[in-house]
Amino acid sequence: MVNAGHRRIAHLAGETFLDGGRDRLLGYREALEAGGITVDPELVLHQGSAISDAYASTCALLDSADPPTAIFCFNDRMALAAYEAARDRDVSVPRDLSIAGFDNDPLVTAFFPNLMTAVLPHEAMARQAVRRILERRRGKPAAARREVLDCQILRRRSVARPKAPTK
């Protein structure tokens, strides 16, 4: 979204008691900062990851005096709610608002335009879990460690360059 030229990017954050919620929020902040964008706390909404919360949050963002041009959602189901809120406000995705999700949920193929999303590396996560279990069974000490895996970004049509501001 930053690479597409957006400067007002909102984040519908998930629950920050979850590693995924904290990590996605951190990634959002790091991406903005890397793009030279100051994080606006008004654009980070922590109202839970329920679809109804995401819908209400998106409506509030779109109804604000200075709405975002893009929204990064904690998960794809929240992105679906953002699509619905945009449609109900006569806001076109991606012409007026870009939306991206996370998880590559099978339902994203039903979105129009197709949702840009990040893919969790489930196979690599499973391999790591099995490796740790086998290490414990072999008597190796279970060192507390955190491993970070890269996620593939599926670039789809829900993200476009923002419209030029009108004068």
Side-chain angles (χ1 to χ4, degrees):
M1 296 176 141
V2 172
N3 292 339
H6 292 277
R7 306 290 298 164
R8 288 195 50 77
I9 304 169
H11 178 41
L12 299 185
E15 290 85 356
T16 54
F17 65 85
L18 298 171
D19 286 345
R22 287 190 302 273
D23 290 345
R24 291 173 202 176
L25 177 58
L26 178 63
Y28 162 81
R29 291 177 188 271
E30 288 176 352
L32 291 185
E33 290 167 7
I37 303 168
T38 302
V39 175
D40 181 348
E42 298 288 320
L43 294 178
V44 179
L45 292 116
H46 296 276
Q47 295 185 346
S49 60
I51 292 173
S52 59
D53 294 333
Y55 180 90
S57 293
T58 302
C59 287
L61 286 166
L62 295 176
D63 292 343
S64 69
D66 192 12
T69 61
I71 300 175
F72 167 58
C73 300
F74 171 75
N75 63 35
D76 293 340
R77 292 179 185 275
M78 291 173 74
L80 174 60
Y83 269 65
E84 292 295 313
R87 186 199 69 217
D88 290 350
R89 295 290 192 274
D90 291 322
V91 172
S92 173
V93 176
R95 187 186 69 224
D96 303 320
L97 177 69
S98 288
I99 298 174
F102 202 100
D103 290 336
N104 196 34
D105 190 299
L107 70 89
V108 301
T109 59
F111 288 30
F112 184 79
N114 295 130
L115 179 69
M116 179 172 157
T117 189
V119 181
L120 283 171
H122 293 287
E123 186 176 319
M125 292 164 62
R127 278 196 306 270
Q128 281 186 347
V130 169
R131 186 175 61 248
R132 285 186 180 186
I133 290 168
L134 293 175
E135 286 173 358
R136 284 186 183 166
R137 286 185 143 180
R138 292 181 187 127
K140 287 189 178 183
R145 67 181 190 261
R146 185 172 180 188
E147 296 178 47
V148 178
L149 300 171
D150 290 332
C151 294
Q152 176 188 6
I153 305 296
L154 297 179
R155 300 189 189 284
R156 295 186 178 132
R157 296 183 55 223
S158 66
V159 173
R161 296 197 69 72
K163 292 190 304 189
T166 56
K167 296 184 182 187

